[in-house]
């Protein structure tokens, strides 16, 4: 069970396979969350229909109860059983699912997902993941799975099983280990409203890609309203000061480099944004674990996937 007062459990790490999926399915049936990889980051999955199970996600993460969770489903048909899709949402789903795109749509009146999973909103955030482990778990449980990142709330998102253990060991019973995630940055979150696509959280599916597929204008959204996961101003914090846009590094800074500016950890010596995204959270974890009291990050271009990287870095620096 998730940590409750002073109570902890042994956290088992099991390699991906039939045994791991069967064990995870048993825990989910018992309203317990388990950590499982997706193509973006490791998620902390539980039955989205069970308020008790979702509450255990919040308890394990220490997550604010007004921040909604992404609900993972196996395909578009399962998604449409939970939310109301228009033509633009279907076009985006047809192109980017399975994959790192989350669509925020109105909840159906008969949607069985617990309201605690959507933070009481009349919308629901839905994603069809492409990773074999999450798809296997969806098939084994037959349940929509609420699955935020598998880390303590506000801390660096996990791209390896070891990252999950860094903040959730003793709080959850099981981690399915299937190696490092491929995208390394959480999914793009969008909603279609007022004849345009609004990007609620940047990610691997870029604004240009969204516009090309939907045929609609694409805009970012700023403001205090929390309508989707990952919109809190302070997020992904490594627990020490973070300086962004560094042109050089001080001796007391854990240096996260990019391109020709090397450091203690170079996101991509080749200056490749896809490679940088895949390494981003691993670099922040390394910075958090280092003996140096501060972290500095080299400037990252804002184009394309750089928007998602800079968004995560800005939240880490708050």
């Amino acid at each position: 069970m998730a940590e409750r007062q002073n109570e902890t459990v042994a956290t088992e790490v099991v390699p991906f396979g039939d045994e791991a999926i069967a064990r995870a399915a048993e825990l989910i049936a018992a309203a317990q969350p388990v950590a499982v990889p997706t193509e973006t980051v490791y998620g902390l999955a539980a039955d989205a229909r069970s308020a008790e199970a979702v509450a255990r996600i919040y308890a394990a993460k220490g997550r604010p109860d007004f921040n909604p969770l992404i609900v993972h489903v196996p395909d578009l048909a399962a998604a449409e059983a939970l939310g109301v899709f228009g033509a633009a949402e279907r076009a985006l789903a047809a192109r980017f699912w399975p994959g790192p795109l989350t669509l925020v749509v109105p909840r159906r009146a008969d949607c069985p997902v617990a309201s605690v999973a959507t933070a009481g909103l009349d919308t629901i955030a839905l994603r069809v993941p492409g990773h074999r482990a999450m798809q296997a778990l969806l098939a084994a449980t037959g349940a929509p799975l609420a699955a935020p990142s598998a880390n303590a709330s506000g801390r660096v998102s996990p791209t390896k099983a070891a990252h999950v253990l860094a903040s959730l060991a003793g709080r959850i019973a099981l981690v399915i280990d299937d190696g490092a995630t491929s995208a390394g940055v959480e999914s793009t979150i969008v909603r279609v409203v007022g004849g345009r696509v609004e990007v609620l959280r940047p990610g691997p599916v870029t604004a240009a890609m969204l516009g090309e597929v939907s045929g609609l204008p694409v805009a970012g959204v700023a403001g205090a309203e929390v309508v989707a996961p990952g919109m809190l101003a302070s997020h992904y914090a490594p627990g020490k000061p973070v300086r962004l846009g560094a042109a050089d590094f001080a001796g007391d800074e854990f240096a996260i480099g990019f391109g020709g500016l090397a450091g203690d950890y170079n996101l991509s010596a080749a200056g490749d944004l896809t490679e940088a995204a895949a390494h981003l959270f691993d670099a922040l974890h390394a910075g958090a674990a280092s003996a140096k009291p501060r972290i500095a990050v080299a400037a990252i271009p804002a184009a394309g996937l750089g928007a998602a990287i800079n968004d995560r870095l800005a939240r880490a620096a708050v």
Side-chain angles (χ1 to χ4, degrees):
M1 183 183 293
E3 186 176 37
R4 185 174 59 193
Q5 297 176 351
N6 296 323
E7 185 178 330
T8 61
V9 296
T11 301
E12 185 180 9
V13 180
V14 180
F16 170 76
D18 293 344
E19 178 184 348
I21 294 299
R23 174 66 178 139
E26 289 176 358
L27 287 165
I28 286 175
Q32 303 290 342
V34 300
V36 57
T38 76
E39 67 273 31
T40 55
V41 299
Y42 274 67
L44 187 58
D47 189 337
R49 302 168 300 183
S50 166
E52 178 186 6
V54 173
R56 284 178 169 149
I57 292 178
Y58 285 120
K61 287 178 64 67
R63 190 184 185 99
D65 62 7
F66 51 81
N67 204 7
L69 307 179
I70 294 173
V71 177
H72 296 71
V73 292
D75 51 36
L76 177 57
E80 291 202 81
L82 304 178
V84 179
F85 282 64
E89 290 94 343
R90 290 191 185 96
L92 291 169
R95 171 63 180 83
F96 298 114
W97 280 358
L101 177 69
T102 295
L103 293 170
V104 176
V105 297
R107 282 181 63 125
R108 288 197 174 277
D110 59 351
C111 176
V113 169
S115 62
V116 66
T118 57
L121 300 174
D122 59 4
T123 55
I124 185 169
L126 294 165
R127 184 164 91 87
V128 175
H131 196 284
R132 62 178 185 174
M134 181 62 93
Q135 278 288 348
L137 191 56
L138 286 164
T141 61
L145 297 177
S149 56
N151 56 289
S153 185
R155 302 310 295 268
V156 182
S157 295
T159 55
K160 299 178 179 178
H163 297 164
V164 178
L165 293 175
S167 63
L168 294 186
R171 299 190 184 192
I172 59 174
L174 180 69
V175 180
I176 298 175
D177 186 356
D178 199 18
T181 61
S182 57
V185 175
E186 296 97 328
S187 62
T188 303
I189 303 179
V190 304
R191 65 179 175 184
V192 179
V193 62
R196 68 177 188 172
V197 178
E198 293 185 340
V199 179
L200 305 175
R201 183 180 72 186
V205 179
T206 66
M209 296 161 69
L210 293 164
E212 180 182 359
V213 171
S214 68
L216 298 175
V218 180
V221 173
E225 181 188 12
V226 177
V227 296
M231 292 187 71
L232 294 180
S234 177
H235 210 59
Y236 318 108
K240 57 182 65 174
V242 179
R243 181 170 67 92
L244 305 180
D248 53 28
F249 303 114
D252 66 343
E253 292 178 322
F254 181 87
I256 298 178
F258 179 77
L261 182 60
D264 298 298
Y265 191 119
N266 197 334
L267 293 173
S268 172
D272 183 278
L273 290 173
T274 300
E275 182 182 15
H279 292 159
L280 176 60
F281 291 128
D282 195 33
L284 289 172
H285 274 286
S290 77
K292 295 181 179 180
R294 299 189 296 149
I295 297 171
V297 187
I300 306 295
L305 190 53
I309 296 171
N310 282 303
D311 172 78
R312 303 310 190 276
L313 287 172
R315 294 174 191 274
V318 170

